[in-house]
Amino acid sequence: MTSPARLLFASSHPGPTVTVTVLAAVIAAAVGHPVWLVVLVALTVVAGQLSIGLANDWIDADRDRAVGRSDKPVARGLIAKETVRNAAFVSAGVAVVLSLFLGPVAAVAHLVLVAAGWAYDAGLKRSVWSVAPFVVAFGLLPVVAVSAGADAQLPAAWAIATGAVFGVAIHCTNVLPDLVDDEATGVRGFPHRLGLHAAGVVAFAALVVAAGLVLVGQLGGDDPVRGLGVVLAVTGTVVVVVLAVVGVRLVLTGPPTRVLFRLVIVSSLVLVVELGLAGARLVA
């Protein structure tokens, strides 16, 4: 028997939830926020991500059950759909309350981010606009992390653009392994309409664009990184480009697997950690 807490966590899409939270926390730390504010950003973001993931499994419960999704506890009947629904609303409520303590700019950005995730769950995933919530949400993530606190500083434009482009890569690679199941249950989002190979290439091309934006952001501008920071910036970009090449090869030569999504997640962590270590100026 598995505890309800474990089943709920498994229903929350824990991989993306943890990754997005780590990204937000690292960005918040990189701009010099005090520890308590970094922790508040992390708690707020994780609450919002939990609500989005739980809502996804609650709304898709019948569809997941129809295609035999063994990785979804609610689809396997291990936890009631109503329990997952209630947990989604509770975590969304917690996210709203915590957002209010981030300051007005970060609060609005985070609430829009969470609303975008819920809009995807509620129906946008079935349309050509399925990529839009990811572009909005990941574009706003740097705003949440950077603008938190009384000063409410805004992130550099390149940081927002990087997040938005990453949203394309994350959406496409996350959907690719489920294309057949989705088609069978009436889901035809942006990647479905492109097709397996085209969506995969678009995803990893977006990844390269994101790496390029980060590199330009660090080496250009009024306060570019210097010395070791340049080495870190170039190294991080090269690593991501290599991962993108590996991803394209996998897309074109084999069946879509979760490895594609993991490549994008690893790339995002590489870039955000590199940003923190290189000392890039993330504030506009």
Side-chain angles (χ1 to χ4, degrees):
M1 295 295 291
T2 304
S3 70
R6 286 176 180 270
L7 292 171
L8 284 173
F9 183 66
S11 301
S12 70
H13 297 227
T17 293
V18 171
T19 300
V20 172
T21 302
V22 169
L23 293 175
V26 172
I27 294 172
V31 297
H33 287 322
V35 174
W36 69 267
L37 188 52
V38 174
V39 172
L40 179 59
V41 167
L43 291 174
T44 305
V45 170
V46 76
Q49 293 303 303
L50 286 172
S51 77
I52 294 169
L54 289 165
N56 184 282
D57 273 21
W58 153 49
I59 293 171
D60 283 354
D62 295 335
R63 190 173 66 84
D64 289 338
R65 190 176 297 115
V67 296
R69 287 293 297 268
S70 60
D71 58 328
K72 302 292 187 76
V74 68
R76 294 172 59 193
L78 298 177
I79 188 169
K81 183 168 65 173
E82 292 75 19
T83 302
V84 178
R85 177 200 62 198
N86 294 341
F89 282 118
V90 169
S91 52
V94 171
V96 170
V97 172
L98 290 177
S99 294
L100 301 178
F101 294 96
L102 291 177
V105 175
V108 171
H110 187 247
L111 293 177
V112 173
L113 185 161
V114 174
W118 275 72
Y120 173 81
D121 291 342
L124 277 181
K125 67 167 60 180
R126 299 175 182 272
S127 76
V128 69
W129 299 105
S130 65
V131 71
F134 285 82
V135 172
V136 171
F138 282 91
L140 286 175
L141 190 63
V143 179
V144 176
V146 173
S147 64
D151 294 339
Q153 303 177 97
L154 291 175
W158 62 265
I160 297 174
T162 299
V165 173
F166 251 121
V168 177
I170 289 171
H171 175 43
C172 289
T173 54
N174 189 37
V175 167
L176 288 183
D178 302 325
L179 287 182
V180 175
D181 288 347
D182 286 345
E183 290 276 9
T185 53
V187 174
R188 293 194 71 246
F190 175 72
H192 307 78
R193 295 162 195 257
L194 288 180
L196 171 59
H197 290 166
V201 171
V202 166
F204 289 105
L207 193 60
V208 172
V209 171
L213 287 169
V214 172
L215 183 63
V216 170
Q218 292 180 98
L219 301 185
D222 298 329
D223 188 19
V225 296
R226 303 179 187 279
L228 180 60
V230 175
V231 176
L232 289 170
V234 173
T235 300
T237 301
V238 170
V239 169
V240 172
V241 170
V242 170
L243 291 174
V245 171
V246 172
V248 170
R249 184 177 182 277
L250 291 174
V251 166
L252 297 179
T253 60
T257 67
R258 296 294 172 194
V259 171
L260 302 175
F261 181 63
R262 291 177 188 130
L263 286 174
V264 176
I265 293 297
V266 170
S267 297
S268 68
L269 293 173
V270 166
L271 288 181
V272 78
V273 170
E274 171 232 307
L275 283 172
L277 293 177
R281 182 176 174 81
L282 294 169
V283 179

